[in-house]
Each structure stands twice: as C-alpha cells, then as structure tokens.
Amino acid sequence: MRINVLGVGFDNLTLREAIDRGAALLDEAGCHYVVTPNPEIVEVCRENPEAMRAVNGAALVLPDGIGVIKGAAMLGTPLKEKTPGIEFAMGLMGKMAERGKSLYLLGAKPGVAQQAAARLKAQYSGLKIAGTHDGYFKEDAPVVEAIRESGADCVFVCLGAPKQELWMEKNGPATGARLLCGLGGSMDVFAGTVERAPKFWSDHGLEWFYRLCKEPKRVGRMLRLPLFLVHVRQEKRSRK
C-alpha cells in the first residue's frame, strides 16, 4: 500500500529495499518505470493531471528528498526514509554490474551522457553501456528505436520533470527495456560536471540549500518547497 502525499502515492521502502525491488523488476516480464518525486515534482503533479497520472503509474515511486519525508510525517503517515534517485541509481548499477546487465543513458546536454558513460564503466566493473543520447531531441521515434536496437536492459531517463515521467509512460514499452528510471539532473553528476552536496548537507536534509547556493537561478523552483508545506498543512486540517 502506498503512502498518499498530496495525491502522489509513495512506496514505503528503505533505500536498500528500493534497490532490491528495482533489480527484481529487471527480471520481470514487461516494461516498468521508476520515478523519484521531490516536493517540487509533487507540486507539478497537483497542477498537471497528466503528470500525476504518469507518476502514480510507475512501478516504483520513491521519495527524493527530506521534504516529502517531513510532509508524510506531518500527515500522520510516515515513510521509512528518503530514497534519493541518484543513490537508488548507484545501488542499482552495482547490482546490474554483478549480473552483466546493460544500461542506456538518455538526457543532458550533448556530450554529457558519453562522459557519464565513460566514468560509470570505470566505476562499475561489469556494467555494460548499451548506448547514449542527449536530451535535446525533437522527435521520440528515433530515440526509441535507438534504445530498442541497443538491447538495453535499463534506461536512465534524465530529461527533467515532468517531461521524463511523461516520456517513460508513453515510450517505455516501445524501447524494449525492462526498466526505465527518471533521474532528473543525475546525468551531470555521473559525468562529473555537477558536484553532489557534501555528506553533511545531505545528512541534515539541506541538499536543496546547497544546490541553491551553487545555482542561485534555481530560487524560483525552490519556492515550491514552502508552497508544498503549506499544502501539506492544509491537507492535514482537511483530514481531521
């Protein structure tokens, strides 16, 4: 049973449980996709019914960030822990490397996915990179066909929300992959072009503030966090 936070149903799993579930999906018939909403994406879903449908239609909905965890606790339906998309992806790649599974990287600016591929191959011995494609494309069909021809077991889709969620919902089965994961800006981290928040900031739920300090232009997006908490309080009152 999922935990409802403002209409988005989150799977109540630890990070380790989420990674194990993701790895298991690679062996299940059909196509599955994973989404990792943070408060900003929850707010997008509240405003966009198509995004809400795509997010809730995922095989795994993981809480990316402390904001969702606090929101769920405020509503009296706590989640076990935050499961950041990038940490989920790292754990999944470790299991894929052990089993010789293949990964396709989709997203970011031209050249970034190739750079990420080289770094990930060096970091995860045994991981096969089936192919790469940047996120600057106008038509889905050629990209979908490229993924299908690559024979990839898994695709990391880093197109930003809600584009990546809608893309996976629409195109997932046609790619031939068993699992697709929507991972936002993770491609730049994998490529080494963007630095992750240091452990202190992450442990204290301040990754969002670290990113804001590094990228002040994100302030408009960050304003969705207090709006999310306002909506959580309103939802809490309505449930009484």
Side-chain angles (χ1 to χ4, degrees), residues 135-237:
Y136 288 70
F137 56 90
K138 294 183 179 180
E139 297 183 3
D140 292 344
V143 178
V144 171
E145 183 58 26
I147 297 173
R148 175 175 284 279
E149 290 182 355
S150 77
D153 297 301
C154 181
V155 186
F156 285 177
V157 184
C158 302
L159 301 176
K163 182 178 179 180
Q164 64 195 14
E165 289 78 16
L166 294 169
W167 196 93
M168 292 188 296
E169 179 193 43
K170 176 184 176 183
N171 297 298
T175 65
R178 290 286 178 87
L179 184 65
L180 297 91
C181 306
L183 297 170
S186 296
M187 192 77 75
D188 291 294
V189 178
F190 294 144
T193 58
V194 171
E195 181 184 359
R196 280 200 75 192
K199 189 174 186 299
F200 172 86
W201 297 74
S202 178
D203 288 349
H204 290 80
L206 294 171
E207 296 150 296
W208 64 273
F209 187 63
Y210 178 84
R211 294 186 68 184
L212 181 59
C213 292
K214 290 286 187 178
E215 302 176 69
K217 64 182 180 181
R218 296 176 61 90
V219 65
R221 295 173 58 182
M222 292 299 180
L223 289 176
R224 288 184 181 270
L225 178 56
L227 182 62
F228 168 81
L229 295 176
V230 167
H231 288 149
V232 167
R233 292 190 183 97
Q234 291 174 343
E235 176 67 14
K236 182 179 181 179
R237 287 196 296 268

Side-chain angles (χ1 to χ4, degrees), residues 105-117:
L105 300 174
L106 172 62
K109 295 179 180 178
V112 174
Q114 291 95 320
Q115 189 174 339

Side-chain angles (χ1 to χ4, degrees), residues 8 33 35 41-58 161-170:
V8 174
Y33 63 95
V35 296
I41 297 175
V42 173
E43 285 299 313
V44 169
C45 288
R46 284 172 51 85
E47 301 165 1
N48 185 333
E50 292 184 351
M52 182 73 82
R53 183 198 64 232
V55 165
N56 283 331
K163 182 178 179 180
Q164 64 195 14
E165 289 78 16
L166 294 169
W167 196 93
M168 292 188 296
E169 179 193 43
K170 176 184 176 183

